[in-house]
Amino acid sequence: MLKLKNVKSCFTPNSIQEAIDIHKKSGGKAVFVGGGLDITVFPNPAIEQLIFLDKLGLTYIRDDVGNIKIGATATITDVTKAPVMQNYLKGKVKIALTELASELLRNQITMGGSIARHHFYSDILPVIYALRGKIMVSDGELVEEFFVDDFYRNDLKVLMETHIVVGVHLNKYDDSFQFGSKRFVRNATDIALLNMAILAQIEEDIIKDVSISVGSRPGPAYRFEQGEAFLRGKKLTKELAEDFESFTKSNVDVTKDMHLCKEYRQHIASIYAKEMLLDFIGGVR
Amino acid sequence: MKDFKHIGTSTDKIDALSLATGQSMFVDDISFPNMLHVKFLYSSYAHAIIEDIDTTLAEKHPGVEMVLTYKNTSRVIHTTAGQGWPEPSPYDTYMFNKKMRYIGDRVAAVAAETEEIAREALKLIKVQYKVLPAVLDMEDAMKDGAPIIHDEPEIKGAYDIKHNLAAHILVKVGDVEKGFAESDVVVEDTFEVPYAQHCPIEPHVTITYLDEYGRIVIRTSTQVPFHVRRIVAQVLDIPVQKIRVIKPRIGGGFGVKQEIILEDVCAYITMKTGKPARALFTREEEFVSSRTRHQMKVNVKIGAKKDGIFNAIRMYVLSNTGAYGTHALTVASNAGSKTLPLYNKAPNVEYIADVVYTNLPIAGAYRGYGATQGYACLEQVVDEVAHKLELTPLEIRKKNHIKSGETSPIFRALGEGREGVTQYMQSCALDELIEKGAKEIGWFEKYGKKTRNGSKVRGIGMSIHMQGSGIPLVDMGAATLKMNEDASFNLMYGGTDLGTGLDTIVTQIVAETLGIKPEQVIVYAADTDLTPFDVGAYASSGTFISGGAVLRAAMKIREQIFEVAKEIFGEYDERDFVLEDGKVTSKKTGKSVTLSEIAYQTLYVKNQHQIAATGSMVSPYSPPPFAAHFVEIEVDEETGIITPIKYVTAVDCGTPLNPELVRGQIIGALVNGLSYALSEEYKFTDSGRMVSSNFMEYRIPSTRDIPEIVPIVVRTYEPTGPYGAKSVAEININGPIPAIGNALYDALGVRVHKVPYIPERVLEAIRSKK
Amino acid sequence: MKVCYSVNGKKKEFEIKAGEVLLDVLRRNGYFEVKGNCYMGTCGACTVLIDGLPYTSCTMLAAKVDGSEITTIKGIGTLQKPHPLQKAFVEKGAVQCGFCTPGIILVAYALLKNNPDPTDDDIKKMLDGNLCRCTGYVQQIEAVKLAAKMLKKGDE
Ligand SMILES: Cc1cc2nc3c(=O)[nH]c(=O)nc-3n(C[C@H](O)[C@H](O)[C@H](O)COP(=O)(O)OP(=O)(O)OC[C@H]3O[C@@H](n4cnc5c(N)ncnc54)[C@H](O)[C@@H]3O)c2cc1C
Ligand code: FES
Ligand code: FES
């Protein structure tokens, strides 16, 4: 089955500058290819040129001071296998990433491809949101850094005309931070219908800081800021977890589709919220 | 139990290594020069009439060979159901038609040099539809004044087209109303079992070409090569003689390939153009335009006496056959005939079924064949009766299930769309199955305990089942064996191995009968030119019917070999002979001759002839295999998520001819049943468009979804089957829905009346209880 | 356009269309042992190893992997000289229709290269992208474990 009928040429540039030049010249007819999963499964007939990013040296996962730096063409498998990820937030980020999709697809899906399209396949973005990742983009000369929330406030279509995603930086967090993530799937390799991740800093039972993300396809993932505000500064107790359950139920924003109604998604999000907090209590003590 | 050499051992599957090394050829693994590629245009309306169709542009498109529509193809009414003749399914289908009956109905086909060109050309076809009101609901379909889906005059064999009834069944034994009145408890419940697809990983695919005599060769992924030949001949109005059907390796079927879908179109194109033609379904087409499981609403009412013995059972089935009535009557028959005899103690039994047409995808044969739907309800209602009488699920079943030596009037009253054949159970290990399964799951420690871990509660449930082995006095299979110099044997038989391992089992049967090794049997199967007839792979008939035919052929060969040995030994009584280790030995005289010597002698030396024989098998018996299923689940009260923890299935399939293959059949069916119970769903829009038509949306299980599975095989000996065997392929798909339903009740005291048991529904049930 | 792969150890040039996926290129060139149908990365029947890692060839752009080493099921063992995995799949009854088998064995092959002693859980995680509708997976998992044992004993 010929997927991309109108593609006439392929490029494998050796520099970001070159990649962006090709893209600019194409008049909107070229696409960057990370893993190429999205591009082949949902082919766009308007595409005439493919720009492979494999030779840009962006397939790395670096253990830096204060940051884990992940290159755009690193795949999910690369990330989950990287030594630095094994104990990062007690290995929980790694687990979140190994659970999604399937081995074959984890080998193909790149971080860049997951970030550059803010689409409904929401498993990876909630993790990056909760971790307050920084998205690094470059126009070939300068590297700009966006806090993940700000990144998606851009008109991506416009930004991606002149930039590519070069990577994502994840803060390293000390032991006062805990991470949890949950996904609602119909069976194991399903693309989650709802998922949620929480990163919380807990000192002496007080939630010092927290970020919470929610994804519910087909809607885009987002930061559940109301929920964060609700929790911030409170004492982490069983009661709080229960209060937060009902808070989440009435305040979380989710979408619906043919598979799952809104009401159930809100319900499941609230249960997940509670469960993760309860896990944190266990983790603290 | 008899001692066997090859029967009961796990001989390697004869094609397994070839498949595992990528050598085997499936239908699509060959290509011909000048081959045409066929693509279809489908109706975008659930119910409509094509007022006009303009194919001029498509025909002119470079690379297009021909465009097929109702205007230029033969109009022969037929059924696509690959069943024995005369088919019990209504004749309601044409190769192409003006009338469109569901979104996915065939409007036109394009044959072109490449798939791409064919696809492009489809876009150039202009169709003018007159849209009609559609019926998408089973109950609505039967109402007076509902739009009539089959209003063409040629339709034959449907029950009542004015009420969209493809079939109707009413079978009565005794008097159920009186039976209920005289019962101490009466319980009634209804369960809805949904659409589902077989999802063979290889979809439907057909390649046709002309042989050197101008006959049409159809190389196709089918379960029913001989029915393909007959029905294509019918549709194309050419003699059977002009067609050869070949079934190479097949990538799974599960019932969906018991259907003539692509073969008629490809054959027609090849006939008209002289060129090879290839049609291959996409996954989406496989979901929408092939066949599905019949959606059913099943109501069961059971009346029982205080002691737990059933006094009356009534089952009512409302079945949705979709746009066409393939297997409409027979699947509905089986929902009763493969379930009700299990509880033969009830003197009063009534079975009623209405099978309706709707403007939805076409149902067909699917592993379990109605029994799956019947058991989904029956086995939960049986538990409900037990609860009312304060009996355990094990007790109530032990009191009521059929036993060795017994029969049920249903066997005779309800056959495959006609009267059936009385069956007496000659092998039935149900009691032992229940006992062993219960022990393995830890029934006595766990049942009713509702062990809790936070919001998660454990529950266990069980169900029992039977199926059949072929259709009695209907299914026929035949096999031919001939002997070669090295005491190898060519076995040509019509049996259709879809991956089940039938081709291996038959080598074991021949080897056992002729005292040779299975490797000495060269199997060639399912080629209408070269092998004798066989109805094909359905109704759990493979081992029993096709295997039975092979046994008969082998027995005849045995006799012929003994005849020659008599001559050589100068002896007269074959009762003195043993056929073992490749030779005939006389116990009386100690004389011995190898099979190879016999072959040389008969082929070259003396009294020359070919040692060869054909055996046919048709049987008044259809011995049911039995199974007892046990499952432990964990259900989260807060989310409604059900997680199966452990699944035990105890099975009596007579002699397991090849234990490893038997295990594969048990687990394969079970895992399919599990995901049917929990996650597989057809989603439709309000206009009747099926929208979960790929593996992203329609979820079938992966390695990460399976619980611990423990198959237990209890060996019995079925005297009517080859070397004591009964069937095993279908039965185990029937358990998960009722067993999980019963486990859910054990855990939380609720029932979910609509399958699959998705978390939302489970949660709703939990809430409405509170 | 032209690309060059080494398929099962043999270097070859292939004429491809720029927007084509690897599955189509391989099948068009007679590598029929690579199955496939869903074209969405959802069934795994089209699995091949690309430089040793398993991918769904239906979602892999053929041009992207120019210069790679591609391994199909025929590259790890043959009818005459099967790989222990292939033998183990036969022995354990893990092959029914066999349509999924090439893909599954290739993934298992990649697994055993890195993890000669996998647990059930390792195997389940690794094989989760390869759908099999016939077997229910149990015997396949057993076969991978058996092959691991055979490999350890040096049964090549
Ligand atoms: C069957 C299937 C299952 C899936 N399951 C899951 C799942 O469980 N969980 C989940 O989260 N997702 C899932 N996905 C979605 C998958 O994560 C996305 O399709 C992802 O975009 C694929 O990454 P890629 O690198 O292959 O993307 P590509 O196809 O390469 O690219 C996607 C888009 O991003 C652009 N792009 C890629 N890299 C860059 C870059 N560096 N800079 C700028 N633009 C770039 C491309 O031009 C394209 O528009 C699934 C997809 C499929 C088809
Ligand atoms: S064809 Fe590639 S995953 Fe299904
Ligand atoms: S063996 Fe048939 S799909 Fe796996």
Side-chain angles (χ1 to χ4, degrees):
Chain A
M1 189 193 300
L2 184 55
K3 293 262 182 157
L4 292 151
K5 291 187 196 63
N6 299 316
V7 173
K8 295 184 187 73
S9 44
C10 301
F11 302 89
T12 310
N14 290 305
S15 72
I16 296 172
Q17 184 70 59
E18 198 189 325
I20 287 166
D21 284 349
I22 301 167
H23 195 260
K24 278 189 196 152
K25 268 189 225 139
S26 79
K29 306 229 152 141
V31 281
F32 299 121
V33 181
L37 181 63
D38 205 81
I39 287 166
T40 52
V41 173
F42 305 105
N44 172 358
I47 299 175
E48 290 181 10
Q49 295 172 7
L50 302 174
I51 308 168
F52 300 127
L53 305 180
D54 306 76
K55 295 237 167 102
L56 305 183
L58 299 176
T59 310
Y60 56 80
I61 294 125
R62 284 192 203 117
D63 185 357
D64 236 23
V65 196
N67 269 320
I68 297 171
K69 297 183 169 168
I70 303 172
T73 49
T75 63
I76 300 183
T77 301
D78 293 335
V79 176
T80 57
K81 293 236 165 95
V84 56
M85 296 306 291
Q86 304 311 308
N87 294 317
Y88 181 56
L89 289 164
K90 302 202 174 91
K92 290 201 171 144
V93 176
K94 176 194 135 171
I95 292 171
L97 295 177
T98 16
E99 276 179 355
L100 62 87
S102 67
E103 176 70 16
L104 293 164
L105 300 182
R106 289 188 294 269
N107 287 343
Q108 187 174 358
I109 297 172
T110 65
M111 289 312 262
S114 308
I115 291 163
R117 284 204 61 183
H118 188 216
H119 57 40
F120 56 85
Y121 300 126
S122 47
D123 282 7
I124 298 156
L125 283 179
V127 174
I128 297 176
Y129 267 109
L131 296 174
R132 296 177 216 173
K134 282 160 284 181
I135 312 291
M136 317 303 282
V137 301
S138 168
D139 62 358
E141 284 171 16
L142 286 176
V143 174
E144 271 180 86
E145 176 182 305
F146 286 99
F147 185 51
V148 56
D149 303 47
D150 300 331
F151 179 72
Y152 290 112
R153 287 192 190 108
N154 285 302
D155 183 339
L156 278 194
K157 228 180 151 203
V158 174
L159 183 70
M160 291 293 114
E161 283 295 311
T162 51
H163 291 72
I164 68 165
V165 174
V166 290
V168 52
H169 293 184
L170 303 177
N171 275 336
K172 287 193 180 166
Y173 295 101
D174 65 33
D175 279 353
S176 64
F177 284 87
Q178 299 214 48
F179 176 79
S181 75
K182 298 258 179 194
R183 56 201 282 268
F184 179 84
V185 287
R186 292 165 297 167
N187 64 14
T189 58
D190 194 10
I191 305 171
L193 290 167
L194 184 117
N195 48 15
M196 201 168 183
I198 304 184
L199 177 76
Q201 185 183 26
I202 301 155
E203 277 176 0
E204 287 165 0
D205 289 350
I206 303 295
I207 301 176
K208 278 265 156 79
D209 198 3
V210 61
S211 48
I212 307 173
S213 60
V214 179
S216 72
R217 73 160 155 131
Y222 84 110
R223 272 276 291 279
F224 181 30
E225 283 166 2
Q226 285 162 287
E228 295 170 0
F230 180 88
L231 289 179
R232 213 166 276 133
K234 294 218 169 99
K235 190 165 186 224
L236 177 58
T237 59
K238 201 166 155 265
E239 291 68 43
L240 179 72
E242 275 156 15
D243 288 350
F244 189 52
E245 176 186 350
S246 29
F247 180 86
T248 303
K249 193 176 231 156
S250 31
N251 291 287
V252 72
D253 190 10
V254 293
T255 37
K256 61 169 184 187
D257 70 354
M258 63 173 168
H259 298 299
L260 204 59
C261 69
K262 200 166 162 167
E263 195 268 327
Y264 185 81
R265 289 189 204 227
Q266 285 168 327
H267 173 72
I268 204 91
S270 70
I271 301 284
Y272 285 167
K274 177 183 73 177
E275 283 179 355
M276 281 186 275
L277 290 186
L278 291 176
D279 277 354
F280 292 165
I281 299 179
V284 172
R285 277 166 197 160
Chain B
M1 203 85 31
K2 294 190 183 146
D3 244 358
F4 296 120
K5 258 209 152 102
H6 304 292
I7 295 299
T9 59
S10 293
T11 308
D12 288 346
K13 192 162 166 288
I14 58 170
D15 50 352
L17 191 60
S18 169
L19 289 160
T21 51
Q23 282 296 335
S24 292
M25 303 289 260
F26 291 80
V27 172
D28 201 34
D29 297 344
I30 56 167
S31 178
F32 291 93
N34 302 321
M35 185 160 76
L36 298 171
H37 299 262
V38 185
K39 285 276 152 205
F40 295 95
L41 181 69
Y42 296 106
S43 171
S44 21
Y45 298 98
H47 200 185
I49 289 178
I50 299 177
E51 295 206 305
D52 197 20
I53 182 162
D54 182 357
T55 56
T56 355
L57 283 178
E59 273 156 22
K60 281 194 198 136
H61 192 66
V64 170
E65 181 85 15
M66 70 186 293
V67 180
L68 288 74
T69 68
Y70 67 89
K71 287 185 176 172
N72 61 355
T73 51
S74 50
R75 186 174 165 86
V76 177
I77 194 138
H78 66 284
T79 175
T80 60
Q83 298 177 297
W85 179 88
E87 305 90 342
S89 296
Y91 279 19
D92 56 11
T93 308
Y94 301 96
M95 185 160 39
F96 291 93
N97 198 7
K98 264 175 104 103
K99 178 90 192 258
M100 293 294 113
R101 298 188 165 96
Y102 74 110
I103 300 178
D105 211 349
R106 212 143 84 177
V107 172
V110 171
E113 282 165 18
T114 68
E115 272 186 55
E116 279 329 300
I117 296 172
R119 246 191 230 111
E120 287 302 316
L122 287 178
K123 294 183 198 149
L124 303 174
I125 299 175
K126 288 193 198 107
V127 192
Q128 218 178 300
Y129 294 99
K130 179 176 155 203
V131 180
L132 304 170
V135 195
L136 305 176
D137 177 87
M138 288 193 274
E139 263 120 13
D140 290 349
M142 291 188 294
K143 286 184 186 148
D144 284 335
I148 299 171
I149 297 171
H150 285 273
D151 48 359
E152 287 167 301
E154 297 97 325
I155 185 167
K156 238 175 40 193
Y159 178 73
D160 171 9
I161 51 171
K162 291 217 172 69
H163 293 94
N164 292 312
L165 279 169
H168 173 77
I169 301 165
L170 170 61
V171 163
K172 285 179 181 205
V173 173
D175 179 345
V176 278
E177 286 314 327
K178 198 161 156 264
F180 290 133
E182 290 167 0
S183 296
D184 296 314
V185 295
V186 177
V187 176
E188 181 176 0
D189 212 343
T190 305
F191 291 85
E192 192 178 327
V193 196
Y195 263 97
Q197 223 266 341
H198 319 60
C199 302
I201 307 300
E202 176 208 47
H204 284 78
V205 53
T206 300
I207 292 179
T208 52
Y209 52 92
L210 294 184
D211 72 5
E212 43 278 38
Y213 307 108
R215 297 165 68 237
I216 302 168
V217 183
I218 305 177
R219 193 180 145 86
T220 186
S221 186
T222 186
Q223 298 176 220
V224 286
F226 286 88
H227 298 333
V228 168
R229 181 178 66 169
R230 187 189 79 241
I231 293 174
V232 171
Q234 175 197 2
V235 175
L236 270 51
D237 196 19
I238 57 176
V240 161
Q241 177 190 345
K242 291 278 180 207
I243 300 171
R244 171 179 179 189
V245 178
I246 300 173
K247 176 220 69 110
R249 291 297 97 194
I250 295 305
F254 316 108
V256 77
K257 293 174 183 170
Q258 193 194 337
E259 205 79 11
I260 285 70
I261 300 179
L262 300 173
E263 290 89 346
D264 53 345
V265 177
C266 288
Y268 188 79
I269 292 166
T270 293
M271 183 172 85
K272 290 285 167 190
T273 64
K275 292 185 182 175
R278 162 186 179 264
L280 165 69
F281 264 172
T282 62
R283 186 51 60 184
E284 186 181 358
E285 289 174 301
E286 189 66 30
F287 273 111
V288 180
S289 298
S290 75
R291 301 294 178 261
T292 66
R293 189 184 286 285
H294 288 80
Q295 171 197 24
M296 285 189 196
K297 240 183 209 174
V298 186
N299 170 281
V300 169
K301 185 170 173 181
I302 297 179
K305 298 279 193 186
K306 267 204 215 74
D307 60 2
I309 304 289
F310 295 164
N311 197 41
I313 308 179
R314 194 190 60 204
M315 185 185 268
Y316 171 71
V317 163
L318 175 56
S319 171
N320 180 6
T321 189
Y324 297 91
T326 83
H327 303 266
L329 174 64
T330 40
V331 164
S333 302
N334 273 265
S337 69
K338 296 283 185 280
T339 59
L340 296 170
L342 193 59
Y343 295 115
N344 65 335
K345 304 295 173 291
N348 308 294
V349 187
E350 188 172 274
Y351 180 74
I352 307 170
D354 287 312
V355 188
V356 294
Y357 287 116
T358 59
N359 294 114
L360 288 170
I362 310 165
Y366 189 163
R367 200 175 204 170
Y369 206 77
T372 313
Q373 293 95 316
Y375 280 122
C377 180
L378 177 66
E379 279 301 275
Q380 299 200 58
V381 177
V382 168
D383 256 36
E384 292 177 34
V385 177
H387 296 137
K388 264 215 159 150
L389 289 168
E390 293 182 359
L391 290 168
T392 70
L394 306 189
E395 286 161 352
I396 194 135
R397 288 181 174 83
K398 282 188 176 169
K399 280 173 191 275
N400 286 288
H401 75 67
I402 196 166
K403 296 190 170 60
S404 240
E406 295 180 356
T407 186
S408 154
I410 295 295
F411 284 119
R412 188 175 165 75
L414 186 56
E416 291 264 324
R418 59 180 188 188
E419 236 184 38
V421 183
T422 300
Q423 304 284 322
Y424 281 88
M425 299 304 97
Q426 306 194 48
S427 58
C428 172
L430 265 172
D431 278 327
E432 199 180 339
L433 300 179
I434 295 174
E435 224 163 84
K436 288 210 161 130
K439 192 158 170 241
E440 176 63 38
I441 201 87
W443 181 273
F444 302 102
E445 303 85 68
K446 291 177 182 162
Y447 180 67
K449 293 292 185 318
K450 308 180 194 294
T451 319
R452 183 179 280 275
N453 173 13
S455 57
K456 299 191 173 86
V457 187
R458 292 279 175 116
I460 66 174
M462 60 96 53
S463 59
I464 59 171
H465 307 278
M466 58 171 269
Q467 196 88 29
S469 302
I471 312 172
L473 297 180
V474 171
D475 286 346
M476 196 279 273
T480 299
L481 267 168
K482 72 179 174 65
M483 190 178 196
N484 304 317
E485 286 93 329
D486 56 353
S488 67
F489 288 82
N490 293 99
L491 168 62
M492 284 83 64
Y493 81 124
T496 310
D497 186 336
L498 313 170
T500 49
L502 182 61
D503 286 350
T504 305
I505 302 261
V506 291
T507 67
Q508 291 176 265
I509 292 176
V510 174
E512 191 69 45
T513 315
L514 300 182
I516 55 172
K517 299 196 185 88
E519 305 88 89
Q520 287 169 273
V521 185
I522 308 152
V523 183
Y524 188 77
D527 176 333
T528 57
D529 267 16
L530 302 181
T531 69
F533 180 85
D534 189 298
V535 287
Y538 56 86
S540 281
S541 63
T543 299
F544 189 76
I545 298 288
S546 312
V550 170
L551 176 61
R552 284 166 192 218
M555 292 303 287
K556 288 187 183 171
I557 295 279
R558 202 179 146 95
E559 278 167 33
Q560 293 180 22
I561 289 171
F562 284 164
E563 282 310 309
V564 181
K566 279 184 202 167
E567 226 173 278
I568 295 174
F569 296 167
E571 294 183 40
Y572 305 96
D573 194 348
E574 63 189 44
R575 280 172 300 185
D576 295 331
F577 295 173
V578 264
L579 181 50
E580 230 175 53
D581 300 329
K583 53 184 192 282
V584 186
T585 312
S586 165
K587 283 184 288 185
K588 202 164 106 196
T589 60
K591 285 182 186 166
S592 174
V593 59
T594 67
L595 291 184
S596 180
E597 284 163 348
I598 288 183
Y600 272 99
Q601 166 140 338
T602 51
L603 291 172
Y604 300 105
V605 185
K606 207 178 139 196
N607 194 6
Q608 282 159 267
H609 67 287
Q610 169 73 63
I611 291 185
T614 296
S616 300
M617 170 79 167
V618 58
S619 175
Y621 305 107
S622 173
F626 295 96
H629 281 210
F630 292 83
V631 66
E632 178 171 14
I633 62 165
E634 185 173 80
V635 49
D636 188 326
E637 219 176 11
E638 284 183 339
T639 60
I641 295 173
I642 295 177
T643 314
I645 306 292
K646 178 169 176 173
Y647 206 110
V648 178
T649 141
V651 182
D652 158 17
C653 58
T655 306
L657 297 184
N658 183 320
E660 209 57 73
L661 293 180
V662 163
R663 217 158 67 90
Q665 287 302 311
I666 295 174
I667 300 169
L670 179 65
V671 168
N672 188 337
L674 272 171
S675 75
Y676 184 43
L678 295 172
S679 70
E680 297 184 24
E681 265 191 301
Y682 263 56
K683 293 278 182 182
F684 295 101
T685 63
D686 292 344
S687 56
R689 183 180 295 278
M690 195 298 206
V691 279
S692 51
S693 57
N694 59 52
F695 286 148
M696 233 188 261
E697 307 303 351
Y698 185 95
R699 301 302 304 167
I700 72 172
S702 77
T703 43
R704 276 203 276 153
D705 295 301
I706 54 168
E708 182 191 352
I709 296 171
V710 184
I712 298 171
V713 176
V714 171
R715 206 170 156 156
T716 60
Y717 195 90
E718 170 56 43
T720 66
Y723 291 109
K726 302 189 275 190
S727 83
V728 71
E730 292 188 86
I731 183 167
N732 290 293
I733 201 168
N734 301 333
I737 294 174
I740 292 176
N742 289 337
L744 179 63
Y745 189 85
D746 179 47
L748 298 177
V750 300
R751 292 209 179 266
V752 176
H753 292 90
K754 202 170 168 172
V755 181
Y757 303 134
I758 52 172
E760 261 178 298
R761 282 185 194 137
V762 177
L763 189 64
E764 203 180 288
I766 295 170
R767 283 178 177 164
S768 52
K769 189 198 166 200
K770 286 177 179 163
Chain C
M1 62 186 275
K2 278 199 168 51
V3 291
C4 179
Y5 309 132
S6 150
V7 186
N8 298 333
K10 286 216 178 73
K11 264 210 161 137
K12 264 177 91 171
E13 253 193 14
F14 295 86
E15 182 64 43
I16 67 162
K17 293 183 202 97
E20 235 178 340
V21 290
L22 183 59
L23 172 63
D24 289 344
V25 175
L26 291 173
R27 284 189 65 86
R28 187 172 64 243
N29 285 281
Y31 296 96
F32 287 124
E33 69 270 28
V34 188
K35 310 299 179 196
N37 174 246
C38 78
Y39 279 95
M40 290 185 106
T42 45
C43 76
C46 63
T47 302
V48 296
L49 304 183
I50 302 174
D51 296 328
L53 258 196
Y55 295 91
T56 50
S57 61
C58 70
T59 60
M60 188 52 74
L61 287 157
K64 182 168 148 58
V65 291
D66 188 7
S68 303
E69 273 184 33
I70 290 164
T71 313
T72 75
I73 191 67
K74 287 191 177 168
I76 72 159
T78 60
L79 208 47
Q80 290 71 35
K81 204 171 170 296
H83 184 271
L85 267 164
Q86 293 164 320
K87 288 194 228 166
F89 266 64
V90 175
E91 191 176 324
K92 281 284 163 194
V95 182
Q96 285 193 29
C97 80
F99 202 77
C100 67
T101 313
I104 292 186
I105 291 182
L106 282 167
V107 179
Y109 179 87
L111 168 70
L112 295 183
K113 279 261 135 119
N114 293 318
N115 180 356
D117 210 0
T119 62
D120 274 27
D121 214 45
D122 295 337
I123 299 169
K124 284 185 179 179
K125 277 194 181 131
M126 189 80 178
L127 297 185
D128 64 357
N130 297 81
L131 298 180
C132 173
R133 194 58 153 174
C134 299
T135 65
Y137 304 111
V138 173
Q139 286 154 307
Q140 297 177 338
I141 295 165
E142 291 169 358
V144 176
K145 283 198 286 190
L146 175 65
K149 257 198 216 145
M150 289 157 84
L151 281 165
K152 269 210 236 150
K153 277 201 306 199
D155 178 8
E156 274 286 1

